[in-house]
Amino acid sequence: MEPFYKTYKPAWKSFYKLLFLVILLIVLAGLANYFKSGEAWLKWLWIAVVVVDALILLYICAKRWTMSLVLKDDPAKAEDQEIAFIECNPLKPFSSDFRKSIEIGLSSIVHIEVKQTLMQTILNVGDVVIASSGTGKEEIYAPNIPDPQSVRDEIQLHANKDKKSSSED
């Protein structure tokens, strides 16, 4: 059987609050320029808006690139039958909390839950929460995953397949 590796990243549209803030800052600066055109402080306002918007967009990119939920199912390697959540905190580059990684064996998964707010439901994103038999509590919390129901179904499919193959041994 073929090895299966899939990585899930937070959806771009899940950052709707921050993207709305970027647009709002541009609109407010545009309105100030419209009503007070010719004012010297407006140049500094535009510079501030561009800098703040650039920082917000950089933060969005950093959060998306540094967070992933990885499903590994390689029947040939027992150590590659797991779900892993890897997260780096770009705001703490010199801390021991910079990189966090949690792995759960597929046969140990007892509960997979999808949590969604109203806006997440509209955007078809959600938080995937996974609990293992080792602790019985939520160990992996992967926020803002696109199409979370299909991700949950795919993880359950591989977890159930792994449980069946381990019970046959």
Side-chain angles (χ1 to χ4, degrees):
M1 186 168 195
E2 286 289 312
F4 181 84
Y5 297 97
K6 186 147 187 190
T7 301
Y8 306 97
K9 295 269 190 191
W12 287 109
K13 59 188 172 185
S14 67
F15 297 101
Y16 61 90
K17 292 176 187 172
L18 291 173
L19 293 171
F20 178 74
L21 179 62
V22 166
I23 294 168
L24 182 66
L25 289 173
I26 292 170
V27 168
L28 290 176
L31 286 173
N33 192 40
Y34 178 76
F35 289 114
K36 298 280 188 177
S37 60
E39 298 281 333
W41 59 271
L42 284 174
K43 178 176 94 174
W44 295 108
L45 176 68
W46 277 107
I47 291 171
V49 165
V50 168
V51 168
V52 169
D53 284 353
L55 289 173
I56 291 171
L57 292 174
L58 189 65
Y59 175 77
I60 290 171
C61 291
K63 282 301 279 183
R64 185 171 190 278
W65 289 328
T66 60
M67 190 181 305
S68 59
L69 182 67
V70 182
L71 174 60
K72 301 181 210 175
D73 190 6
D74 187 356
K77 299 179 186 173
E79 67 274 3
D80 276 354
Q81 294 178 340
E82 66 183 13
I83 185 83
F85 180 68
I86 303 153
E87 178 180 26
C88 295
N89 189 341
L91 299 177
K92 298 181 178 180
F94 304 109
S95 169
S96 62
D97 292 338
F98 174 68
R99 187 170 193 275
K100 180 173 73 170
S101 177
I102 302 169
E103 295 86 17
I104 298 176
L106 290 177
S107 60
S108 299
I109 295 174
V110 293
H111 181 71
I112 304 172
E113 183 180 357
V114 172
K115 295 182 179 182
Q116 291 178 299
T117 64
L118 176 63
M119 193 59 160
Q120 285 178 321
T121 304
I122 292 169
L123 295 174
N124 194 24
V125 297
D127 306 334
V128 177
V129 182
I130 303 172
S132 76
S133 60
T135 62
K137 64 177 185 170
E138 300 171 349
E139 288 187 50
I140 292 179
Y141 178 82
N144 301 317
I145 301 296
D147 198 9
Q149 285 81 12
S150 66
V151 172
R152 178 197 58 213
D153 294 344
E154 192 165 33
I155 294 169
Q156 284 178 333
L157 175 75
H158 287 274
N160 290 338
K161 181 182 66 79
D162 189 53
K163 285 177 186 173
K164 285 179 186 175
S165 67
S166 64
S167 66
E168 291 173 0
D169 292 339

